[in-house]
Amino acid sequence: MASVTCKYHTQTPARWRCNSCQINFCPSCVTATGDRPPDCPVCKRELTSLGSANLIKPFWTRLRHFFLYPLHPGPLLVMLFLTGASFLLKILPGWDYRMNFLLWRVPRNIIFALPFLFLFLKYAQSVLEDTARGHLKPRPLSSEQLTENGMIVVKMLTILIVFAFIEFTALDLFNQIGKHIVGFILAFATPAAIMVLAMEDKLLSALNPDVVASVIMRIGTPYFLLFVLFYMLQLARGTTFGLLAEVVDPSLWLAIYVFISMYFYLIAFNMMGYLLYQKHEVLGYNLDVDVEDVMDKPRKVQETQVSPELRAVEILLHEGKNEEAIRQLESIIRNAPTDIEARERILKLSRLVGNLAVHREQGRTYISYLLSENRVSQAAIVYLACVEFDKQFRPAKAAERVEIGRYLRQNGKARQAMTLLNNLHRDFPSYENVPEAYLMVAQILCEQFNEDARARQVLNFILQNYPSHPMRSAVEDYMRIVDNVSSH
């Protein structure tokens, strides 16, 4: 069944759904914090989980990865080591010598091979468990994968022995057809029993028909497909060995058979682990897996990552809720005044919707923040953008206007600087540095625009209205310069 996709990232599976808005969200749109589901960015109601299984690709879409899994360094090293061990066992003296073991006489090499069989089954079980917990590539080989909780191998072998005994007994209770039917049922149940053992580590649960049947039913169709794939793997194993046996020396047959068998068994255990990973919520297994982080890396949206709060703003804008988006941005800025991206976005949005009041307030606070951080050039850029939209826009403080005006003048924007400094004495009657600002205006008029008469008017205004200001002597000196320039 196709997964439910996100409304805003149509190639990404959804994780949450708002039943009120009828919107599906992927993990990049909303993020859960704590144990409770997140709220809908649009209506603020609690979202409903779609289940992490919706995020995970069905196992049949990853067949190529399963076949490549045993060829990674860790699994390959295990297979090569055990293959080498089997070759050495083959050439040991007394290969056909039989020894008493309980009630049977068995070849001695079988006894020697048991530790290596145990080692492989323990590693195969660790592959299943690692995959079930979201480790889709083999972890670096470690001693715990080969030795920790060795009893689980004993339990796995016990399951296989019990199933073999039941099948053997069926021959006495039923005819040959009945034995085949029982054998098919047991073969069908074996993967589920091994999966139960991996998750619960309880032999009785793995042998409990009710538990095994419940796992099969809850997994559903994917389990039936898994069983078919296992049958095909068995055929592929036999076919591969048959083809290789025709072209290699008979002395290598055992080693080849061991390697091929381990390769296909690791594929099978990897598949079982992945199916548990895919269905762990349905099965009720708490695997402590961060599915949203581990899984969809190849399918992540190729875009600039933003905070969850700003992503909520994007969603509100997508839904045409511009005023709600503005309020959300105002809240972000109140809680995080250093969030430059939020400040830039609220200015752009307020211009887009024509909200002059928000634009003026946010532009002024943004400029104040930038100047407090000594980022004068960026403050000047913000001012120019604001005044282009709102001709009456000015920074909130007189000192800010002077600082930006000085920067604009130094960087070739004399007219914009003069516009910013005009009427400073009216807007801030108590500002003590008006003479300094107006001296700058006079200098711009004289030096940039050759308007000596207007420059003289500004200088006279300073001398008349600020007679005792410390800047008086500098103003008088510049007045003489203007007069001297005008007389030539």
Side-chain angles (χ1 to χ4, degrees):
M1 184 177 67
S3 60
V4 179
T5 58
C6 174
K7 177 179 181 180
Y8 309 104
H9 306 110
T10 55
Q11 300 301 313
T12 305
R15 181 67 175 87
W16 307 96
R17 177 173 175 79
C18 178
N19 294 323
S20 175
C21 301
Q22 301 292 299
I23 298 176
N24 300 316
F25 300 95
C26 68
S28 66
C29 288
V30 291
T31 305
T33 54
D35 295 330
R36 66 179 298 273
D39 293 332
C40 174
V42 180
C43 69
K44 307 304 179 185
R45 292 183 174 88
E46 190 174 279
L47 297 175
T48 301
S49 172
L50 291 174
S52 60
N54 188 64
L55 295 175
I56 302 174
K57 294 180 181 179
F59 81 94
W60 58 83
T61 67
R62 289 180 52 88
L63 293 180
R64 180 176 66 89
H65 299 279
F66 295 136
F67 279 87
L68 292 175
Y69 188 96
L71 302 180
H72 284 83
L76 186 59
L77 182 62
V78 171
M79 291 192 300
L80 291 175
F81 170 75
L82 295 176
T83 301
S86 69
F87 183 76
L88 292 176
L89 287 174
K90 176 68 173 68
I91 64 175
L92 281 177
W95 170 261
D96 295 324
Y97 176 75
R98 292 179 176 270
M99 58 188 297
N100 291 326
F101 182 73
L102 297 180
L103 301 179
W104 297 279
R105 289 176 60 81
V106 298
R108 183 170 58 183
N109 63 290
I110 296 297
I111 302 300
F112 293 153
L114 285 177
F116 299 105
L117 174 64
F118 182 94
L119 195 68
F120 173 73
L121 290 177
K122 177 61 187 74
Y123 182 72
Q125 189 72 10
S126 73
V127 166
L128 191 160
E129 294 174 4
D130 286 348
T131 308
R133 286 172 172 79
H135 301 289
L136 304 187
K137 291 184 178 179
R139 290 188 296 158
L141 195 60
S142 63
S143 59
E144 69 177 67
Q145 292 175 297
L146 302 174
T147 60
E148 192 175 82
N149 190 20
M151 280 302 297
I152 199 166
V153 176
V154 176
K155 295 174 184 177
M156 187 195 313
L157 290 173
T158 302
I159 294 171
L160 299 178
I161 291 170
V162 169
F163 282 8
F165 178 77
I166 294 173
E167 184 178 359
F168 179 78
T169 306
L171 184 59
D172 294 334
L173 298 177
F174 310 104
N175 54 22
Q176 193 69 28
I177 296 177
K179 174 183 176 295
H180 288 315
I181 293 174
V182 172
F184 176 80
I185 294 172
L186 293 172
F188 184 74
T190 298
I194 294 175
M195 292 159 70
V196 171
L197 180 65
M199 291 298 95
E200 300 186 19
D201 197 12
K202 296 178 181 177
L203 179 60
L204 293 180
S205 294
L207 291 174
N208 188 325
D210 290 337
V211 175
V212 173
S214 175
V215 167
I216 294 173
M217 295 304 294
R218 279 183 285 174
I219 293 177
T221 302
Y223 185 86
F224 291 83
L225 182 56
L226 179 75
F227 181 71
V228 172
L229 289 173
F230 279 5
Y231 178 74
M232 295 174 66
L233 286 175
Q234 292 294 332
L235 293 178
R237 181 169 66 98
T239 302
T240 304
F241 175 72
L243 293 173
L244 291 175
E246 293 179 359
V247 297
V248 299
D249 189 274
S251 63
L252 299 175
W253 284 0
L254 178 62
I256 292 173
Y257 179 79
V258 169
F259 185 87
I260 292 173
S261 297
M262 288 189 295
Y263 173 76
F264 283 101
Y265 274 113
L266 285 182
I267 292 173
F269 276 77
N270 187 217
M271 283 185 180
M272 287 189 287
Y274 190 87
L275 189 57
L276 281 174
Y277 173 58
Q278 180 186 346
K279 296 292 184 179
H280 70 272
E281 285 190 339
V282 175
L283 296 172
Y285 291 131
N286 181 14
L287 300 180
D288 192 25
V289 175
D290 187 354
V291 177
E292 294 163 11
D293 178 60
V294 175
M295 188 50 207
D296 277 329
K297 289 182 179 178
R299 301 170 66 172
K300 277 189 176 180
V301 182
Q302 300 300 313
E303 61 178 26
T304 302
Q305 296 298 308
V306 298
S307 67
E309 294 79 11
L310 287 178
R311 184 69 191 116
V313 171
E314 292 177 352
I315 292 171
L316 289 170
L317 293 174
H318 194 282
E319 297 298 321
K321 297 181 178 293
N322 295 331
E323 294 302 324
E324 289 89 336
I326 287 176
R327 287 194 291 271
Q328 173 80 2
L329 286 167
E330 288 176 327
S331 175
I332 293 172
I333 294 168
R334 280 195 300 271
N335 296 325
T338 61
D339 193 330
I340 297 297
E341 189 170 1
R343 290 185 178 277
E344 293 284 355
R345 290 192 182 206
I346 199 170
L347 287 178
K348 292 177 182 177
L349 181 57
S350 58
R351 291 170 197 152
L352 178 67
V353 301
N355 193 325
L356 199 63
V358 169
H359 182 265
R360 286 185 179 177
E361 177 188 356
Q362 294 300 327
R364 287 168 176 168
T365 58
Y366 188 16
I367 287 173
S368 296
Y369 166 73
L370 291 172
L371 291 176
S372 71
E373 297 290 316
N374 294 319
R375 297 161 71 171
V376 184
S377 62
Q378 191 170 348
I381 292 172
V382 172
Y383 163 73
L384 292 174
C386 289
V387 81
E388 183 178 356
F389 169 73
D390 174 12
K391 300 302 181 185
Q392 304 303 315
F393 178 87
R394 298 292 184 273
K397 300 176 182 178
E400 294 173 350
R401 289 169 65 169
V402 173
E403 188 171 4
I404 295 175
R406 184 181 299 109
Y407 176 86
L408 292 174
R409 180 195 175 195
Q410 293 170 351
N411 288 272
K413 297 186 180 296
R415 189 173 299 280
Q416 291 90 333
M418 190 171 63
T419 300
L420 179 59
L421 296 172
N422 280 343
N423 295 318
L424 194 65
H425 68 289
R426 294 177 182 172
D427 297 337
F428 301 94
S430 60
Y431 181 57
E432 59 184 12
N433 286 328
V434 168
E436 178 186 354
Y438 280 4
L439 175 58
M440 193 187 314
V441 171
Q443 291 169 341
I444 292 173
L445 289 169
C446 178
E447 297 169 16
Q448 268 74 44
F449 301 111
N450 297 318
E451 296 188 23
D452 298 340
R454 289 184 61 192
R456 192 179 292 107
Q457 290 177 351
V458 173
L459 294 171
N460 282 327
F461 175 86
I462 299 172
L463 295 173
Q464 292 172 7
N465 290 278
Y466 302 91
S468 59
H469 196 276
M471 292 292 299
R472 180 179 181 84
S473 59
V475 172
E476 290 174 342
D477 289 343
Y478 198 75
M479 177 74 83
R480 287 190 286 271
I481 293 173
V482 173
D483 292 339
N484 186 47
V485 170
S486 299
S487 63
H488 287 80

